[in-house]
Amino acid sequence: MGQIHFVTDSTCDLTNEEIKQHGIHIVPLTVQINGETYKDRIDLQPETFIDLMKNADELPKSSQPAPGVFKEIYDELGKDGDQIISIHMTGGLSGTVQSARQASEMSDSDVTVIDSRYIAFALAFQLREAVRLRDAGATVEEIVAAINQLRENSRLFVVLNTLDNMVKGGRIGKGKAAVSSLLNIKPVAHLDTGEVTICAKPRSYKQVIKFLMSEFEKDTAGKTVKSIGISHANAIETLVNPLIEQIKATGYDKEIEIAYTSPVISTHTGEGAIGFMYYAE
């Protein structure tokens, strides 16, 4: 039996150590800003991007990898008969997974493409489980079934601190943004269906934390919380630390992972946003 290889994209929040240790292949999206094009997390790091975005005249644009980029990787990894599982950010926000599917149809390699329906740590949760099962001797079919189950047990909330990027991107009118700003609304959305859906409109950071904790406690009641991750776009003091404090107050004593949001995601959310992700069984 051949090996099973994993391919994903640059929106996952795996650490560099994990990527190297488990031989995971990352295909970066690209970001165009100030007339320059950068490979996400390769030529452009999250912390640097926030400063660039704040000073940019226009909203940065992100692009998914071309099918040919995926095909080249698939051809190489599968040339000796090895199998490939390619897990990517939600198709509701990017054409990346569709690009991967097109490449899988062009390649002679045995490729299974999965839409994670999530991003960031919620994508990393699936990759970690896939690696664990592969190393335990699971088949591709068993890994896919387990990922599908993990996805059903996951939640991801996005909190926006500003609607500026939504206005620049044409996703919301300036009038609505102005009203939200006056009311100090911090929209909260979820990705339960793979697309961003507004589910609450709290008017302060305190109310944001209260809503997130209410959802967290309801979702995890009677279950074992397997993992928690928080991605942020420069929001440590306003949202990340207060949220961690409340989570620990529930008695949760495991690690809560924190990462800076990928430039691709920050392009859409703007500065000050966070993604709150967890799964429980």
Side-chain angles (χ1 to χ4, degrees):
M1 182 183 294
Q3 298 183 56
I4 297 175
H5 301 279
F6 295 110
V7 177
T8 189
D9 57 71
S10 56
T11 65
C12 77
D13 278 342
L14 293 173
T15 65
N16 291 332
E17 290 74 18
E18 286 179 292
I19 293 167
K20 183 177 180 179
Q21 178 184 351
H22 300 299
I24 297 170
H25 300 267
I26 306 290
V27 180
L29 281 77
T30 57
V31 178
Q32 297 85 43
I33 184 170
N34 294 332
E36 299 289 337
T37 299
Y38 302 90
K39 290 182 180 178
D40 187 26
R41 293 187 187 268
I42 295 178
D43 306 322
L44 185 62
Q45 297 305 313
E47 297 90 336
T48 306
F49 176 71
I50 293 295
D51 289 332
L52 280 175
M53 183 171 64
K54 282 193 296 187
N55 297 315
D57 294 330
E58 297 180 353
L59 181 70
K61 297 179 181 179
S62 60
S63 301
Q64 70 261 21
V69 177
F70 283 110
K71 182 180 182 298
E72 184 176 346
I73 292 175
Y74 295 159
D75 288 348
E76 176 63 26
L77 293 177
K79 64 183 180 182
D80 296 323
D82 290 352
Q83 295 175 291
I84 302 158
I85 299 178
S86 203
I87 312 174
H88 297 285
M89 71 178 293
T90 173
L93 292 178
S94 169
T96 299
V97 71
Q98 185 57 35
S99 187
R101 287 188 177 125
Q102 292 174 9
S104 71
E105 294 171 359
M106 295 187 290
S107 177
D108 292 329
S109 298
D110 183 350
V111 185
T112 299
V113 178
I114 298 174
D115 183 343
S116 72
R117 296 218 311 264
Y118 285 113
I119 53 175
F121 281 116
L123 170 54
F125 296 160
Q126 295 181 30
L127 287 156
R128 287 169 178 164
E129 180 67 2
V131 166
R132 185 188 71 79
L133 290 169
R134 176 198 64 182
D135 294 349
T139 64
V140 167
E141 292 74 20
E142 290 169 337
I143 292 171
V144 171
I147 289 175
N148 289 339
Q149 185 60 53
L150 188 153
R151 185 187 305 118
E152 296 304 314
N153 294 330
S154 300
R155 297 296 305 276
L156 187 161
F157 293 98
V158 177
V159 181
L160 301 177
N161 184 57
T162 173
L163 295 177
D164 288 351
N165 283 38
M166 292 291 187
V167 171
K168 290 180 182 178
R171 292 178 175 82
I172 189 172
K174 291 183 178 179
K176 288 186 177 180
V179 171
S180 294
S181 178
L182 287 172
L183 296 176
N184 202 29
I185 290 174
K186 313 292 183 186
V188 180
H190 64 67
L191 253 69
D192 293 350
T193 61
E195 297 182 351
V196 176
T197 303
I198 300 294
C199 56
K201 297 179 180 179
R203 295 189 179 185
S204 66
Y205 293 128
K206 184 176 181 180
Q207 288 183 9
V208 168
I209 301 300
K210 183 178 180 180
F211 173 79
L212 294 178
M213 287 306 302
S214 174
E215 292 295 302
F216 174 74
E217 292 177 333
K218 180 176 63 178
D219 291 335
T220 61
K223 301 177 182 178
T224 299
V225 179
K226 305 295 288 186
S227 201
I228 299 176
I230 304 174
S231 296
H232 72 97
N234 202 17
I236 286 288
E237 297 301 325
T238 55
L239 285 168
V240 177
N241 285 345
L243 181 56
I244 290 175
E245 183 179 338
Q246 289 299 309
I247 294 170
K248 289 184 175 179
T250 67
Y252 186 80
D253 59 0
K254 299 177 185 176
E255 179 187 7
I256 298 173
E257 295 184 277
I258 304 171
Y260 231 100
T261 305
S262 154
V264 167
I265 304 303
S266 295
T267 292
H268 301 289
T269 64
E271 186 178 13
I274 69 164
F276 175 42
M277 295 148 274
Y278 53 87
Y279 81 98
E281 296 177 346

